[in-house]
Amino acid sequence: GQNIDQPTEMTATEGAIVQINCTYQTSGFNGLFWYQQHAGEAPTFLSYNVLDGLEEKGRFSSFLSRSKGYSYLLLKELQMKDSASYLCAVMDSNYQLIWGAGTKLIIKP
Amino acid sequence: GAVVSQHPSWVICKSGTSVKIECRSLDFQATTMFWYRQFPKQSLMLMATSNEGSKATYEQGVEKDKFLINHASLTLSTLTVTSAHPEDSSFYICSARERDTEAFFGQGTRLTVV
């Protein structure tokens, strides 16, 4: 079966760095997405990785290792507004998105 | 990124009535649209996938006669919740993509059935 695993909840301090991991087992791979979702709102797109390596976009970076079925989202210089759920999703061989359950990130002052 | 507009943002309706939710891609052609629902503190659940001009493909357990999806053009898809009941109260989200690019989400619609 297809499976996406990510931690349920993480806590970090304002100004610090946090890494949210995602491991996946899917039938085929056509890219991995990270989305941010604030409570009561729709998810917003953060990043897309299809090749191995690190993609940096401002304070957020995303890493992919296809051979290990592994990705992480790295958030630097954490701000209180970064408190949200972070969703990992993989596009399988049929171009369908398989979603993880999301990681709730709590930022403390 | 591309813009997907979903309307309305929230709606309250009486039990037994129908509600239509619209999803529009404003600056690209959405060859595929997805409809999700999300219960509080749970992950997104895919309800159906629709390709422009074709019938929607529903996920297992989703009643196609209750959740009517129309994707008549490359910029508009609609979800109609027919004969809504309180258990249909949820957050409904659409997303759209052009061919095999990343999907962009609408703002979501919070439906409350009373």
Coordinates of all heavy atoms in Angstrom, one line a residue, chain A residues 33 35 37 40-43 45 48 87 91 94-97 99-102, chain B residues 34 36 38 43-44 46 49 91 93 97 100-103 105-108 110:
Chain A
F33 N 5.6 17.3 -2.5 CA 5.2 18.6 -2.2 C 5.1 18.9 -0.7 O 4.8 18.0 0.1 CB 3.8 18.9 -2.7 CG 3.6 18.7 -4.2 CD1 3.5 17.4 -4.7 CD2 3.6 19.8 -5.0 CE1 3.3 17.2 -6.1 CE2 3.4 19.6 -6.4 CZ 3.3 18.3 -6.9
Y35 N 3.2 21.6 1.9 CA 2.1 22.6 2.1 C 2.1 23.1 3.5 O 2.3 22.3 4.4 CB 0.8 22.1 1.7 CG 0.6 21.9 0.2 CD1 0.9 20.7 -0.4 CD2 0.0 22.9 -0.6 CE1 0.7 20.5 -1.8 CE2 -0.2 22.7 -2.0 CZ 0.2 21.5 -2.6 OH 0.0 21.4 -3.9
Q37 N -0.5 24.8 6.3 CA -2.0 25.0 6.6 C -2.2 25.6 7.9 O -1.9 24.9 9.0 CB -2.8 23.7 6.4 CG -4.3 23.9 6.5 CD -5.1 22.6 6.4 OE1 -4.6 21.6 6.7 NE2 -6.3 22.8 5.9
G40 N -8.1 26.3 10.1 CA -9.3 26.9 9.5 C -9.1 27.4 8.1 O -10.0 28.0 7.5
E41 N -7.9 27.2 7.6 CA -7.7 27.8 6.2 C -7.2 26.6 5.3 O -6.9 25.5 5.7 CB -6.6 28.8 6.3 CG -6.9 30.0 7.1 CD -5.8 31.1 7.1 OE1 -4.8 30.9 6.3 OE2 -5.9 32.0 8.0
A42 N -7.3 26.9 4.0 CA -6.8 25.9 3.0 C -5.3 25.9 3.0 O -4.6 26.8 3.4 CB -7.3 26.3 1.7
P43 N -4.7 24.8 2.6 CA -3.3 24.7 2.5 C -2.7 25.6 1.5 O -3.4 25.9 0.5 CB -3.0 23.2 2.1 CG -4.3 22.5 2.4 CD -5.4 23.5 2.3
F45 N 0.8 26.3 -0.9 CA 2.0 25.6 -1.5 C 3.3 26.2 -1.0 O 3.4 27.4 -0.9 CB 1.9 25.7 -3.0 CG 3.1 25.2 -3.7 CD1 3.4 23.8 -3.9 CD2 4.0 26.1 -4.2 CE1 4.5 23.4 -4.6 CE2 5.2 25.7 -4.9 CZ 5.4 24.3 -5.1
Y48 N 8.2 22.1 -4.0 CA 8.1 20.9 -4.9 C 9.4 20.4 -5.2 O 10.3 21.1 -5.7 CB 7.3 21.3 -6.2 CG 7.3 20.2 -7.2 CD1 6.6 19.0 -7.0 CD2 7.9 20.4 -8.5 CE1 6.5 18.0 -7.9 CE2 7.8 19.4 -9.4 CZ 7.2 18.2 -9.2 OH 7.1 17.2 -10.1
L87 N 2.1 19.8 5.7 CA 1.6 18.6 5.0 C 2.6 18.2 4.0 O 3.0 19.0 3.1 CB 0.2 18.9 4.4 CG -0.9 19.3 5.3 CD1 -2.1 19.8 4.5 CD2 -1.3 18.2 6.2
M91 N 3.3 12.7 -5.3 CA 2.5 12.5 -6.5 C 3.0 11.1 -7.0 O 4.2 10.9 -7.3 CB 2.7 13.6 -7.5 CG 1.9 13.4 -8.8 SD 2.1 14.8 -9.9 CE 1.2 16.1 -9.1
N94 N 0.4 7.6 -11.1 CA -0.8 8.1 -11.8 C -1.1 9.6 -11.6 O -2.2 10.0 -11.9 CB -2.0 7.3 -11.2 CG -1.9 5.8 -11.6 OD1 -1.6 5.5 -12.7 ND2 -2.3 5.0 -10.6
Y95 N -0.1 10.3 -11.1 CA -0.2 11.7 -10.9 C -1.3 12.0 -9.9 O -1.8 13.1 -9.9 CB -0.4 12.5 -12.2 CG 0.8 12.4 -13.1 CD1 0.9 11.4 -14.1 CD2 1.9 13.2 -12.9 CE1 2.0 11.3 -14.9 CE2 3.0 13.1 -13.7 CZ 3.1 12.2 -14.7 OH 4.2 12.1 -15.5
Q96 N -1.5 11.1 -8.9 CA -2.4 11.4 -7.8 C -1.6 11.8 -6.6 O -0.5 11.3 -6.4 CB -3.3 10.1 -7.5 CG -4.1 9.7 -8.6 CD -5.2 10.7 -9.0 OE1 -5.9 11.2 -8.2 NE2 -5.3 11.0 -10.3
L97 N -2.2 12.7 -5.8 CA -1.5 13.2 -4.6 C -1.8 12.3 -3.5 O -3.0 12.1 -3.1 CB -1.8 14.6 -4.3 CG -1.1 15.7 -5.1 CD1 -1.6 17.1 -4.7 CD2 0.4 15.6 -4.8
W99 N -1.4 12.0 0.5 CA -1.2 13.0 1.6 C -0.7 12.3 2.9 O -1.2 11.3 3.3 CB -2.4 13.8 1.9 CG -2.9 14.7 0.8 CD1 -3.7 14.4 -0.2 CD2 -2.4 16.1 0.6 NE1 -3.8 15.5 -1.0 CE2 -3.1 16.5 -0.5 CE3 -1.6 16.9 1.4 CZ2 -2.9 17.9 -1.0 CZ3 -1.4 18.2 0.9 CH2 -2.1 18.7 -0.2
G100 N 0.2 13.0 3.5 CA 0.5 12.6 4.9 C -0.5 13.3 5.8 O -1.3 14.1 5.4
A101 N -0.5 12.9 7.1 CA -1.5 13.4 8.0 C -1.2 14.8 8.5 O -2.0 15.4 9.1 CB -1.6 12.4 9.2
G102 N 0.0 15.2 8.2 CA 0.4 16.6 8.7 C 1.1 16.6 10.0 O 0.9 15.8 10.8
Chain B
F34 N -9.4 18.8 -8.1 CA -9.6 17.9 -7.0 C -10.5 18.5 -6.0 O -10.4 19.7 -5.7 CB -8.2 17.6 -6.4 CG -7.2 17.1 -7.3 CD1 -6.3 17.9 -7.9 CD2 -7.0 15.7 -7.5 CE1 -5.3 17.5 -8.8 CE2 -6.0 15.2 -8.4 CZ -5.2 16.1 -9.0
Y36 N -11.6 18.1 -2.0 CA -11.2 17.5 -0.7 C -12.2 17.9 0.4 O -12.9 19.0 0.2 CB -9.9 17.9 -0.2 CG -8.7 17.6 -1.2 CD1 -8.3 18.4 -2.2 CD2 -7.9 16.4 -0.9 CE1 -7.3 18.1 -3.0 CE2 -6.9 16.1 -1.8 CZ -6.5 17.0 -2.8 OH -5.5 16.7 -3.6
Q38 N -12.2 18.1 4.8 CA -11.4 18.0 5.9 C -12.2 18.2 7.2 O -12.8 19.3 7.4 CB -10.2 19.1 5.9 CG -9.2 18.9 7.0 CD -8.1 20.0 6.9 OE1 -8.4 21.1 6.5 NE2 -6.9 19.6 7.2
S43 N -6.5 15.1 8.4 CA -5.9 15.4 7.2 C -6.9 15.6 6.1 O -8.1 15.2 6.2 CB -4.9 14.3 6.8 OG -4.2 14.6 5.6
L44 N -6.4 16.1 5.0 CA -7.3 16.2 3.8 C -7.7 14.9 3.3 O -6.9 13.9 3.3 CB -6.5 17.0 2.7 CG -6.2 18.4 3.0 CD1 -5.2 18.9 1.9 CD2 -7.4 19.3 3.0
L46 N -9.3 13.2 0.0 CA -9.7 13.3 -1.4 C -11.1 12.7 -1.6 O -11.3 11.6 -1.3 CB -8.7 12.7 -2.3 CG -9.0 12.8 -3.8 CD1 -8.9 14.3 -4.3 CD2 -8.0 12.0 -4.6
T49 N -11.7 13.4 -8.3 CA -10.8 14.0 -9.2 C -11.6 14.2 -10.5 O -12.3 13.3 -11.0 CB -9.6 13.1 -9.5 OG1 -8.9 12.8 -8.3 CG2 -8.7 13.8 -10.5
F91 N -15.2 21.2 6.1 CA -14.4 22.2 5.3 C -14.1 21.5 4.0 O -13.5 20.5 3.9 CB -13.1 22.5 6.1 CG -12.3 23.7 5.6 CD1 -13.0 24.9 5.3 CD2 -11.0 23.6 5.4 CE1 -12.3 26.0 4.9 CE2 -10.3 24.7 5.0 CZ -10.9 25.9 4.7
I93 N -12.4 21.8 0.2 CA -11.3 22.5 -0.4 C -11.2 22.0 -1.8 O -11.2 20.8 -2.0 CB -10.0 22.3 0.3 CG1 -10.1 22.7 1.8 CG2 -8.9 23.2 -0.3 CD1 -8.9 22.4 2.6
R97 N -4.8 22.1 -11.1 CA -3.5 22.1 -11.7 C -3.7 22.0 -13.2 O -4.7 21.5 -13.8 CB -2.6 21.0 -11.2 CG -3.1 19.6 -11.7 CD -2.0 18.6 -11.3 NE -2.3 17.3 -12.0 CZ -2.3 16.1 -11.3 NH1 -2.0 16.1 -10.1 NH2 -2.6 15.0 -12.0
D100 N 0.5 18.4 -15.4 CA 1.2 17.7 -14.3 C 2.0 18.6 -13.4 O 3.0 18.2 -12.8 CB 2.0 16.5 -14.8 CG 1.2 15.6 -15.7 OD1 0.1 15.3 -15.3 OD2 1.7 15.1 -16.7
T101 N 1.6 19.8 -13.4 CA 2.3 20.8 -12.5 C 1.8 20.7 -11.0 O 0.9 19.9 -10.8 CB 2.1 22.2 -13.0 OG1 0.7 22.5 -12.9 CG2 2.6 22.4 -14.4
E102 N 2.4 21.5 -10.2 CA 1.9 21.4 -8.8 C 0.4 21.9 -8.7 O 0.0 22.7 -9.6 CB 2.7 22.3 -7.8 CG 2.8 23.7 -8.1 CD 4.0 24.2 -8.9 OE1 4.4 23.3 -9.7 OE2 4.4 25.3 -8.8
A103 N -0.3 21.5 -7.7 CA -1.7 21.9 -7.6 C -1.8 23.1 -6.7 O -1.0 23.2 -5.7 CB -2.5 20.7 -7.0
F105 N -4.4 25.5 -4.3 CA -5.7 25.3 -3.6 C -6.5 26.6 -3.6 O -6.0 27.7 -3.6 CB -5.4 25.0 -2.1 CG -4.9 23.5 -2.0 CD1 -3.5 23.2 -2.1 CD2 -5.8 22.5 -1.7 CE1 -3.1 21.9 -1.9 CE2 -5.4 21.2 -1.6 CZ -4.0 20.9 -1.7
G106 N -7.8 26.3 -3.6 CA -8.8 27.4 -3.3 C -8.7 27.7 -1.8 O -8.0 27.1 -1.0
Q107 N -9.5 28.7 -1.4 CA -9.5 29.2 0.0 C -10.2 28.3 0.9 O -10.1 28.3 2.1 CB -10.1 30.6 0.1 CG -9.4 31.7 -0.8 CD -10.1 31.8 -2.1 OE1 -10.5 30.8 -2.8 NE2 -10.1 33.0 -2.6
G108 N -11.0 27.4 0.3 CA -11.8 26.5 1.2 C -13.2 27.1 1.4 O -13.4 28.3 1.4
R110 N -16.3 26.6 4.3 CA -16.8 25.9 5.5 C -18.3 25.8 5.4 O -19.0 26.8 5.4 CB -16.4 26.7 6.8 CG -16.8 26.0 8.1 CD -16.0 26.6 9.3 NE -14.6 26.5 9.1 CZ -13.9 25.4 9.3 NH1 -14.5 24.3 9.6 NH2 -12.6 25.4 9.2

